[in-house]
Each structure stands twice: as structure tokens, then as C-alpha cells.
Amino acid sequence: IRDKRGGLVGSEMCIRDSSSPLFNAAQVFALAGDRRQAFDYLQRAVEAGYPRQQVESDLAFKAFREDPEFRALIEAPVYP
């Protein structure tokens, strides 16, 4: 989406947000059935600031919702 000056709206956020590409990689690995890689990228995404609530509700991780490692990641305390 472009603003009235022709710039991309939200592009500055995409550049600064390193958690989204990590989360997207986790989704790809989860959907491909590669649990280990999915969890590795998911951990990195959460550490980079990706919202845990969005992780928990994302359909790519539906099969992992009862997994103890997934639950620990979602329920871990958040430190600034």
C-alpha cells in the first residue's frame, strides 16, 4: 500500500521487525511437518518479540498446541 507521497505504508516497520520472517519460517517448517526446525524458528521469533498470543492462535501450529515444549514457549514469563 502506498501513501499519497508514493511511499510504502508500513515498510519501515517491516525493516525493523525481525520477528516476522522468523515466525514465517516457523510456519513453513510446521506445515511441512519439521517439528524441530519449526520450534527452533518459533523460539527465535518469540525472543525477537513476536506476540505469543498470535503464535498460540495460528493454525500452522494447531498440531503442536498440546505439546509440552510449545506450551512452555507460550506460557513462559516475558522479560523486557
Side-chain angles (χ1 to χ4, degrees):
I1 300 174
R2 296 198 180 274
D3 65 15
K4 56 185 164 185
R5 293 175 295 167
L8 292 176
V9 175
S11 61
E12 64 280 347
M13 189 173 104
C14 293
I15 293 168
R16 286 183 267 155
D17 178 15
S18 64
S19 68
S20 291
L22 295 168
F23 180 73
N24 293 340
Q27 288 175 306
V28 169
F29 284 114
L31 293 171
D34 189 335
R35 181 188 174 283
R36 177 62 8 232
Q37 287 284 9
F39 276 38
D40 287 347
Y41 277 97
L42 197 53
Q43 178 70 43
R44 291 169 57 193
V46 168
E47 288 172 358
Y50 201 85
R52 293 169 195 236
Q53 307 90 317
Q54 290 183 11
V55 172
E56 187 171 26
S57 65
D58 193 282
L59 292 178
F61 305 105
K62 184 177 180 179
F64 301 139
R65 288 188 182 143
E66 301 305 317
D67 185 290
E69 187 176 0
F70 183 80
R71 298 298 336 145
L73 177 68
I74 297 301
E75 297 167 3
V78 177
Y79 299 105

